[in-house]
Amino acid sequence: DETLISFGAPFKIKPEKTHYGNNSGKNYMLGLLLNKENRITLGHHRKKELRSWIFNYLKDRQNGIPTATEELYVLRGNMSYAKMVEPDWYEAIVAHYNKEFGVNLESVIGTDIAA
């Protein structure tokens, strides 16, 4: 903060928005994790949540239980985000569920949204 003042900067650093990371792998910023290998990842909890969400959607679909269109948009958005951040993990998880449920996950979501 003192450095900014000495340069006459027209702004201040807000302590509540400041984050100091460490090397223990707990460096969450903007919903992402910088792990020990300095790779950006979604983090274990977010991956677990997305896997659960996909499984529940496909299981409900298999049992004839419809999913609200708004929820499908949110699911598809989260899937797109995961694909952008960790494409290898995303492709593996989608392939797993495609095989387990005998569907093309991305296609069935599109079909259910259009219905």
Side-chain angles (χ1 to χ4, degrees):
D1 202 34
E2 292 174 15
T3 304
L4 293 175
I5 293 169
S6 70
F7 283 107
F11 54 86
K12 290 183 175 183
I13 294 176
K14 291 187 176 184
E16 65 272 13
K17 292 186 175 184
T18 303
H19 173 81
Y20 295 99
N22 59 32
N23 291 329
S24 71
K26 296 183 185 194
N27 296 311
Y28 276 99
M29 292 190 167
L30 303 173
L32 297 173
L33 174 75
L34 183 63
N35 66 16
K36 292 177 187 176
E37 293 83 34
N38 285 327
R39 293 179 53 208
I40 295 173
T41 178
L42 295 168
H44 172 73
H45 295 291
R46 186 173 237 173
K47 287 179 182 180
K48 183 177 177 181
E49 182 179 80
L50 185 56
R51 281 192 309 265
S52 175
W53 198 351
I54 292 169
F55 176 83
N56 289 333
Y57 160 67
L58 290 172
K59 195 67 170 170
D60 284 351
R61 189 176 196 279
Q62 190 177 55
N63 293 323
I65 300 169
T67 301
T69 303
E70 297 80 20
E71 188 175 334
L72 291 173
Y73 278 118
V74 175
L75 174 58
R76 188 163 67 175
N78 279 284
M79 288 170 55
S80 294
Y81 185 67
K83 186 176 186 177
M84 178 185 69
V85 175
E86 286 194 70
D88 294 338
W89 176 83
Y90 173 83
E91 294 299 333
I93 209 69
V94 168
H96 168 78
Y97 285 119
N98 285 347
K99 184 177 179 184
E100 183 175 342
F101 286 91
V103 297
N104 180 314
L105 177 60
E106 294 172 340
S107 293
V108 296
I109 289 175
T111 300
D112 289 350
I113 287 174

